[in-house]
Amino acid sequence: MFSFFKKKPPAPPASTPAVAASTPSGTQDARATAPAAEEPPPRAGWLDRLRVGLRKTGSSIAQVFTGTQVDDALYEELESALLLADAGLPATEALLADLKRRVKETKATEPMAVKALLIDAITDLLKPLERALVVGEHTPTVMMVVGVNGAGKTTSIGKLTHHLAAGGSKVLLAAADTFRAAAREQLSAWGDRNRVDIISQQGGDPAAVSFDAVSAGRARGCDIVIADTAGRLPTQLHLMEELKKIRRTIAKAQADAPHEVLLVVDGNTGQNALAQVKSFDAALQLTGLIVTKLDGTAKGGVLAAIARWCAAEQRPLAVYFIGVGEKLEDLQTFDAREFAQAMVQ
Ligand SMILES: Nc1nc2c(ncn2[C@@H]2O[C@H](COP(=O)(O)OP(=O)(O)OP(=O)(O)O)[C@@H](O)[C@H]2O)c(=O)[nH]1
Ligand SMILES: [Mg+2]
């Protein structure tokens, strides 16, 4: 069973080996050490929504296995279905090679058996992305949330804040999208729903707001500070430069922060999502992702593309959460096998 996030005590002094935040969250050991992890939200309804969301991809991949033969035609159809699902060429090629190896090893001859092996192959590809968000190691844990306009940053922060507050964490939000009044109001609305404080400043400098929020978070003994940033700026300003400045300024308020730089990507944007991962990572050294809108027309394969890129580039990014709707409970932890099953159906 999944915890929504993992609570850890503060990191031990430098002399003892630190319990790495990168400890694989999937291990029993790691999960067992989460003392006050919140009761996880029900997953069944969520999985159905993900299945429905990915149905287009799922049914077209499932279609490949409805025949009676495992032959070249089947592999060709699968290649097309994966490419259509936004998996991209490198991930598609890697999955096909891995699948053929598994088929050979198990001597599978039935298409349905090959379909099960494909689920295994996709699961293994996606597994490195599956990691719980760690909170509690730093006081406060500082997160910076970035992403293009409309990706779902503010909504995801609202949902995440709800879960963190419900789990007993004291959260402070920084409205670092200072250019639009609506952005502050939107974040405030989520803040009110969750009874958390917000630092905002109309028309102020986003980096200054972030600095104030981290300083206030330290002074007030907050567990978590989350900075919501803009996805688009007035044209004369360069988004990446502004975000880099926020990152640098946060580090001035707390030396080891931000502890998490989360990119929110819209699951419907296909291969463009991978392009966003690359450019935001190059500018900001991401730690993880939240993939939203997987309840819509998303095809899901882009997670395979991202996983493949992370492996090739040795960038151990996590997919901490996925969004499957607009309601509070529609943010869920990412489970590689569940996702692979929903993709293939
Ligand atoms: N269906 C669905 N809609 C979502 C999801 N996440 C966010 N949205 C919707 O996407 C729209 C944009 O979300 P925001 O949270 O405002 O996006 P943002 O990244 O903060 O946008 P900017 O601040 O303009 O850069 C809103 O209408 C949200 O309700 C999701 O998982 N599923
Ligand atoms: Mg926003």
Side-chain angles (χ1 to χ4, degrees):
M1 187 47 96
F2 262 68
S3 301
F4 204 77
F5 49 86
K6 202 162 64 179
K7 273 195 177 171
K8 277 193 175 182
S15 54
T16 32
V19 183
S22 58
T23 305
S25 64
T27 60
Q28 282 305 323
D29 185 37
R31 293 250 156 86
T33 57
E38 173 202 357
E39 197 51 36
R43 290 183 76 79
W46 161 80
L47 202 58
D48 287 345
R49 223 162 320 141
L50 180 63
R51 282 220 169 93
V52 172
L54 301 183
R55 191 162 51 201
K56 237 168 114 193
T57 301
S59 54
S60 69
I61 294 179
Q63 194 67 32
V64 173
F65 300 99
T66 50
T68 54
Q69 304 263 329
V70 177
D71 52 15
D72 285 350
L74 180 145
Y75 288 117
E76 272 167 37
E77 268 180 57
L78 179 59
E79 182 175 20
S80 307
L82 286 168
L83 289 171
L84 277 172
D86 291 330
L89 199 55
T92 297
E93 283 176 349
L95 279 171
L96 279 172
D98 187 24
L99 180 63
K100 285 178 183 169
R101 183 186 59 76
R102 287 171 196 261
V103 169
K104 207 169 160 189
E105 233 171 65
T106 58
K107 302 189 173 64
T109 52
E110 297 292 322
M112 289 315 276
V114 178
K115 184 177 162 183
L117 293 174
L118 175 66
I119 294 175
D120 291 345
I122 297 176
T123 303
D124 282 1
L125 177 65
L126 298 180
K127 202 75 184 172
L129 302 178
E130 183 188 299
R131 221 159 60 218
L133 181 68
V134 175
V135 297
E137 271 192 315
H138 312 273
T139 321
T141 296
V142 181
M143 304 182 200
M144 177 178 171
V145 178
V146 300
V148 302
N149 177 44
K153 296 179 290 299
T154 307
T155 310
S156 298
I157 289 171
K159 294 172 181 171
L160 181 57
T161 301
H162 165 77
H163 287 287
L164 290 163
S169 295
K170 193 172 169 190
V171 185
L172 181 70
L173 301 179
D177 182 351
T178 57
F179 299 97
R180 292 184 304 125
R184 282 190 305 281
E185 283 158 20
Q186 193 190 358
L187 196 66
S188 297
W190 282 104
D192 292 345
R193 271 160 96 169
N194 293 303
R195 292 184 300 279
V196 299
D197 290 338
I198 300 195
I199 302 286
S200 67
Q201 191 189 99
Q202 191 175 350
D205 173 19
V209 170
S210 306
F211 183 89
D212 286 352
V214 176
S215 306
R218 296 181 70 175
R220 297 180 196 177
C222 291
D223 300 300
I224 293 137
V225 175
I226 308 177
D228 185 21
T229 64
R232 187 167 53 197
L233 299 180
T235 43
Q236 71 274 22
L237 293 169
H238 192 282
L239 179 64
M240 286 303 179
E241 292 310 316
E242 198 66 41
L243 293 174
K244 281 192 208 169
K245 187 172 147 199
I246 294 176
R247 198 187 197 291
R248 283 195 306 271
T249 312
I250 286 175
K252 282 181 194 154
Q254 186 173 341
D256 55 357
H259 308 102
E260 300 284 349
V261 183
L262 305 181
L263 175 68
V264 178
V265 282
D266 177 340
N268 291 290
T269 48
Q271 284 290 296
N272 195 257
L274 180 59
Q276 289 170 24
V277 171
K278 289 180 190 173
S279 57
F280 277 89
D281 187 51
L284 299 163
Q285 298 83 52
L286 300 174
T287 58
L289 310 175
I290 298 176
V291 184
T292 61
K293 308 189 194 183
L294 288 167
D295 51 314
T297 54
K299 301 193 208 148
V302 70
L303 266 106
I306 292 171
R308 178 71 196 156
W309 178 81
C310 287
E313 298 294 317
Q314 298 184 329
R315 289 290 297 128
L317 302 182
V319 173
Y320 288 125
F321 303 103
I322 59 176
V324 289
E326 298 184 73
K327 294 200 291 296
L328 274 179
E329 59 274 21
D330 293 336
L331 190 74
Q332 289 286 345
T333 46
F334 172 71
D335 179 299
R337 178 159 288 275
E338 283 178 355
F339 198 87
Q341 277 165 342
M343 251 183 90
V344 177
Q345 313 251 331

